[in-house]
Amino acid sequence: VQGERPSNTSIGAWNISKENFFSTTILDLLKIRATYGLSGNAPVPGQGGPFDIIGARNSAIFAGLGTGYVIFTPANDLLTWERTKTINFGVDFSLWNQRLSGYVDVYDKLTTDLLGFVPIDPTTGFSYAYDNLGSLKNKGMEIQLNSLNIKGKDFSWRTVFTLSKNNNEILSLKRSSALTFNNKISGVQIEGYSAYPLFGYNNIGLDKSGNPLALSATNDTLKLANQIKIDDPVYSGTTQPLWYGGLTNQISYKNVSLSFLVVFNLGHQMRLDVNRFYTGRLLTNIPTYFENRWKKEGDELNTDIPKYIANTSTSSTQRNTNFYTQGLSNIASASYAKLRDLTINYQFGKNIAHKLSMRDLTIYGQVNNILLWTKNRSNIDPEYYDYQQGVRLDRMPAFYTFGLRASFK
């Protein structure tokens, strides 16, 4: 049956603030928690199991013989539940009569027997099978702070701050074939690295002919693709944010209230969307910095943009432009913060609402996605971006909303 396996959990908590020896005017609450849990996910029905998964199919080759059946997924009687063991330690607190409160949690998760499709030997008649493919470790922390900054008769200001950190690592992974340098560059999952790794070539500029160069793992100079070894691509980080969270502020003055939310994702990397046109026939627009490419001997001292070679065959035999386009020099921080939304409300007085046979009447205006702060200098919005491939996606524009909320008697 699909779903989460019943958890086996042990919990311990100590509310120190209720102890007789606890006496302070600063702390209202101090509680520590410890949790150990075991949970799991069953194989998805229809994806795999101890029997072949078959489906009906008609074929013109066997016309007149009726409906046939094909095996979509071969049987796997060794398939088991995906299991996750979690250890969590936490602290809940409140200070100064709940003017500041929150919690801190630290966790360690180990997931074994990960479920998924794995490539298998094609001589079996199948390309993929549903199987337990490996194990994954997650470590991290979560923090939330709630503060009542100002509280007056007509004015108040509240803040909620959340911060999370996560590091993960693939501990084991089944493979049907040997790992290649192309696998690394394309971002496949690899044992010993994060679940979303980003690799690049250690590019070192251009030679005197305007062709890109890179250093190998043994510090040899690379110029052609057939010189690349499995250890040559360099790990530059993860495409998954290491830190993420948000900051919410709510400010009220009499009948007017203002709230805004800033979200942030930090610590991850992305491949820049650099120009990839350096040979062949021009069929699309290209960036203006293509004009800064290598054109004559000596330009390699001032640019790392490869020269243009018209003939594609000549280009491929002389160089490997991926050393530039997929080089470390074209990997940048994907960190960003964004003003997700800003809302202004005005609540009409009870007298006006009652005259209109209403209990409450509020008008509001909201604006979304109007401010973006990034660490990259390429005007890339990382929220709408393919980090691994270096491709910009359709970006959601700022949008505005105006409305009225009313509740009737």
Side-chain angles (χ1 to χ4, degrees):
V1 179
Q2 181 188 9
E4 186 171 335
R5 194 176 191 178
S7 297
N8 177 14
T9 306
S10 59
I11 301 175
W14 182 21
N15 192 338
I16 301 175
S17 54
K18 288 189 176 182
E19 298 292 341
N20 294 330
F21 62 79
F22 187 86
S23 177
T24 176
T25 57
I26 299 176
L27 276 168
D28 313 314
L29 171 68
L30 181 60
K31 183 167 125 179
I32 57 176
R33 298 173 277 104
T35 305
Y36 172 79
L38 174 62
S39 62
N41 287 304
V44 179
Q47 299 283 15
F51 305 101
D52 292 334
I53 306 298
I54 63 174
R57 179 169 294 179
N58 293 313
S59 173
I61 299 175
F62 304 107
L65 298 179
T67 300
Y69 293 87
V70 297
I71 299 176
F72 290 153
T73 306
N76 182 357
D77 56 6
L78 298 179
L79 193 65
T80 66
W81 286 71
E82 179 181 288
R83 297 174 175 84
T84 299
K85 298 177 182 177
T86 303
I87 300 174
N88 188 93
F89 296 97
V91 177
D92 302 316
F93 61 89
S94 175
L95 297 85
W96 301 301
N97 197 23
Q98 297 186 348
R99 293 296 291 265
L100 178 64
S101 63
Y103 64 82
V104 178
D105 279 285
V106 179
Y107 62 85
D108 190 319
K109 294 183 179 181
L110 175 63
T111 302
T112 57
D113 298 318
L114 286 163
L115 291 166
F117 284 94
V118 295
I120 58 177
D121 185 351
T123 60
T124 62
F126 302 95
S127 299
Y128 291 87
Y130 194 62
D131 199 4
N132 300 106
L133 53 84
S135 57
L136 170 69
K137 191 175 189 65
N138 279 277
K139 289 184 176 182
M141 59 177 288
E142 296 177 350
I143 298 174
Q144 178 168 318
L145 299 176
N146 312 297
S147 66
L148 178 55
N149 307 313
I150 299 175
K151 184 178 181 181
K153 179 181 178 181
D154 296 320
F155 182 82
S156 67
W157 174 24
R158 298 176 182 271
T159 299
V160 178
F161 174 72
T162 60
L163 175 66
S164 298
K165 185 181 190 300
N166 178 265
N167 289 92
N168 56 47
E169 180 185 348
I170 299 291
L171 300 180
S172 63
L173 191 66
K174 288 184 180 179
R175 291 192 179 281
S176 63
S177 59
L179 185 69
T180 67
F181 69 85
N182 277 325
N183 293 150
K184 282 188 169 182
I185 292 295
S186 64
V188 301
Q189 295 176 329
I190 305 172
E191 288 185 17
Y193 293 95
S194 70
Y196 303 92
L198 185 62
F199 286 84
Y201 296 111
N202 187 12
N203 59 317
I204 54 172
L206 307 174
D207 64 11
K208 292 183 179 181
S209 299
N211 296 316
L213 302 173
L215 283 181
S216 71
T218 55
N219 286 327
D220 295 318
T221 301
L222 304 175
K223 184 176 179 179
L224 302 174
N226 60 14
Q227 298 174 310
I228 306 172
K229 302 294 190 298
I230 181 64
D231 293 329
D232 292 339
V234 179
Y235 179 69
S236 63
T238 176
T239 58
Q240 185 179 49
L242 297 177
W243 297 88
Y244 52 94
L247 178 68
T248 302
N249 279 279
Q250 296 177 323
I251 302 171
S252 299
Y253 177 70
K254 293 185 177 180
N255 292 358
V256 180
S257 63
L258 168 71
S259 65
F260 59 90
L261 168 63
V262 176
V263 297
F264 57 86
N265 289 272
L266 310 171
H268 52 315
Q269 304 293 308
M270 63 181 177
R271 206 181 303 280
L272 296 177
D273 61 335
V274 295
N275 172 55
R276 292 174 173 81
F277 173 78
Y278 294 103
T279 185
R281 189 174 183 180
L282 181 62
L283 300 174
T284 185
N285 294 330
I286 56 176
T288 56
Y289 60 76
F290 181 69
E291 181 64 23
N292 299 327
R293 68 189 183 280
W294 188 98
K295 298 173 184 175
K296 62 182 185 303
E297 186 172 342
D299 286 349
E300 68 274 7
L301 300 176
N302 302 310
T303 183
D304 63 349
I305 301 176
K307 69 178 179 181
Y308 169 75
I309 298 178
N311 187 284
T312 302
S313 298
T314 302
S315 175
S316 61
T317 58
Q318 289 186 3
R319 61 186 181 170
N320 178 23
T321 55
N322 288 341
F323 287 148
Y324 169 73
T325 59
Q326 298 173 344
L328 295 179
S329 65
N330 286 313
I331 290 177
S333 171
S335 297
Y336 73 92
K338 180 175 289 190
L339 180 58
R340 174 70 72 212
D341 61 66
L342 185 150
T343 304
I344 299 177
N345 293 277
Y346 178 78
Q347 185 176 30
F348 289 93
K350 295 293 184 182
N351 293 336
I352 296 177
H354 289 168
K355 288 180 181 179
L356 298 173
S357 299
M358 299 177 181
R359 280 195 295 267
D360 296 290
L361 178 62
T362 303
I363 58 172
Y364 66 91
Q366 184 179 68
V367 59
N368 298 76
N369 300 323
I370 56 172
L371 289 177
L372 172 67
W373 299 271
T374 66
K375 200 171 180 181
N376 74 84
R377 299 179 180 180
S378 303
N379 194 32
I380 294 173
D381 184 343
E383 189 173 16
Y384 304 100
Y385 194 76
D386 186 327
Y387 298 143
Q388 188 65 241
Q389 301 300 320
V391 176
R392 302 187 194 221
L393 307 176
D394 290 338
R395 182 175 176 178
M396 181 177 291
F399 60 93
Y400 306 85
T401 305
F402 300 94
L404 182 148
R405 287 190 296 267
S407 60
F408 295 87
K409 293 181 180 179

